[in-house]
Amino acid sequence: MNRCTPSFLAFALTLVTGLAMAQVPTPKAPVPAPVATPAAPLSPDTVHALTAEDLSSFFDGLVPFALQRGDVAGGVISVVKDGKLLFARGYGYADLKTRTAPTPDATLFRPGSTSKLFTWTAVMQQVELGKLDLDKDINGYLDFTIPARDGKPITLRNIMTHTPGFEDTARGLLPASTDDVDLEKYLKSHVPARIYAPGGIVAYSNYACGLAGYIVQRVSGQRFEDYIKQHIFDPLQMNHSSFAQPLPPALASLMSKGYEKASEGKPRAFEPVDPAPAGALSSSATDMANFMIAQLQGGQFGDARILQQATADLMHSPQHTAAPGLNGFDLGFYQEDSHGQRIIGHAGDTIVFHSDLHLMLDAHVGLFMSFNSAGNEGGAHVIRKAVFKSFLDRYFPYNAPAEPTVATARADAARVAGWYESSRRNDSSLRPLYLLGQTSVAPQPDNTLVISVWNNYAGKPLHWREVGPLVYREVNGDAHLKFVTDADGNIQYWATDVEAPVFVFQRVSAGRSMGRVSLLAGLSFVLLIVTLLSWGIGGWVRRHYGRALVLTPAQRRSRLWSRLGVLALFVDMAGWMTLLGISSVNEDPLLQGTMTPWLYLLFVLGVLALIGALAVVANVVRAWMAPRRGRWVLAGETLLGLAALYLAWFIVAFGMVSFNVRF
């Protein structure tokens, strides 16, 4: 999520306020688009003309400071309007060592998942040719089988709206070497579990996009990379773009370096992506401008056409939303409607490159930006979002209609309070990791809500007030959030337009919530530490003073096995905490799959920990059955037994003995 901390206050305030003042086949019935309420009249003095000159003043005053404050090495931006390139410029450095500046026409950046738009365009080309059907079982196009769930097969429409029902996958997504990239092998060896029926819950899936690219490859008879070049890059004169990994020598020399932070100055190697259709593109800002022009002009670029008008219109039509009235998905593009404008787009991220593309369909305006560093808390993730908001505020100012707070705010706040987890998650192997990603919905004394995952640019939590039945609006903002119920009125999930609609947040039962688990597991873990310390220190003290425990041989054996069980529980829990801690600061083990052996080790330790928990409980039973055990001893052993039982439940409930490395 795009979040920032209080240390970023100066940058955020300047960025958002101060700089804002600087100079085919018949589709199924589509989902109705959110209806925009007309804006209040604005003074002509508040509207800036969208010209090359004004864009130059705007971006030149905004971006260099943002890069420096966000610890980002460099970036590129291009803007198109009415079928023409209006603005293109590079900022900062493409290579910190040589101090080479990026150029918008000849420096390549990695757009990450923005690459998916080319895959979706290729799918629509094949739909247009009659080789693909958006609503047919995809198994009819594959040479392997994706199992159905609840009797429902996956369709290309499901894939293009990110509703195929797959759990998230990360293993091998960014392999260590381009030698490891193999689309067919990856897809056949990484089939994710299906955790939802298709067509329902939105859960973003890189794997599903890989399937779409593979299907294009099979029905066209061309390698995916070659198909995209011949049918999209060449017609659009995108001469500095490629899905090839590694890049051809002529393009490799033009590739920008990528950095985690500019201040570190150490570039990362070229980042391979597998499956390639999900994010392997390398491209220049002006090449991306050509693609935006074609999409905005119904598939036409100059004398060339990559889609027929009707196909482009279908691709840009609403298909699915998680909650009525909120932004959802067209075919491949997600909706970003804001400022009274109909907007579609797609962001993209590798570890070091971070990009975004926005198409304003009715204004015929497109904006692309890409940055070559993750940066600090106020880095690329914050910059790209704040730049686009400032762009809209400046050129498309909008006064959102007033919405009064409803009378049911207090009761509904209590109704929705609790913990929620992202629908985009991995349940097979990494449940402990996604436990840490849960977010809380907390009612406030003024009947607003605070949601832990959403902060403003100053690092302060956003507040939400109820403006309709289970519909909330950002206080002092325009974003909305909606809670969705089942037929019985039970809260199922919430969705929002404050971010891209690529997942929802589903309600978690109290027993599995981060609030409950962190308290009970934390106390249990502390009790393990105290027990182990007292075991070691107590033995030393007794030896020092010549005192011995008055226990029978059977009791001694039982106590020893109990303490070894405590040690096994401690090692297993500490091992998981270590692995999750490493993953939070270094994504390579997760994305390259090198954490797999460690997962197997932790699964083995989990089995030993469960056996250890039984030993602890057995010792508690023996302690209560033995005569002359002190009340404090019994109380301590009982608490330890309860802690062991809870941790045993935790290990099983969160898949820590699953021996499943499908992540």
Side-chain angles (χ1 to χ4, degrees), residues 12-96:
L13 293 178
T14 304
L15 186 62
V16 180
T17 58
L19 287 177
M21 297 183 289
Q23 303 290 328
V24 162
T26 303
K28 287 183 176 179
V31 178
V35 178
T37 304
L42 292 163
S43 167
D45 294 335
T46 65
V47 180
H48 291 261
L50 185 56
T51 64
E53 293 76 17
D54 198 82
L55 284 168
S56 182
S57 297
F58 173 64
F59 285 123
D60 287 357
L62 170 66
V63 178
F65 173 75
L67 297 181
Q68 184 178 14
R69 189 64 182 83
D71 204 5
V72 173
V76 287
I77 295 175
S78 59
V79 179
V80 301
K81 185 177 187 294
D82 296 329
K84 296 180 181 179
L85 177 64
L86 186 62
F87 175 87
R89 190 158 297 170
Y91 294 95
Y93 299 101
D95 188 329
L96 289 171

Side-chain angles (χ1 to χ4, degrees), residues 16 82 131 191 251 319 362 374 396 445 610:
V16 180
D82 296 329
K131 293 184 178 181
V191 180
L251 295 180
Q319 301 291 317
D362 300 325
F396 301 91
L610 291 178

Side-chain angles (χ1 to χ4, degrees), residues 476-495:
N476 300 321
D478 302 336
H480 286 81
L481 180 151
K482 292 189 176 184
F483 290 86
V484 176
T485 65
D486 61 16
D488 297 323
N490 301 310
I491 302 296
Q492 294 296 292
Y493 62 82
W494 59 263

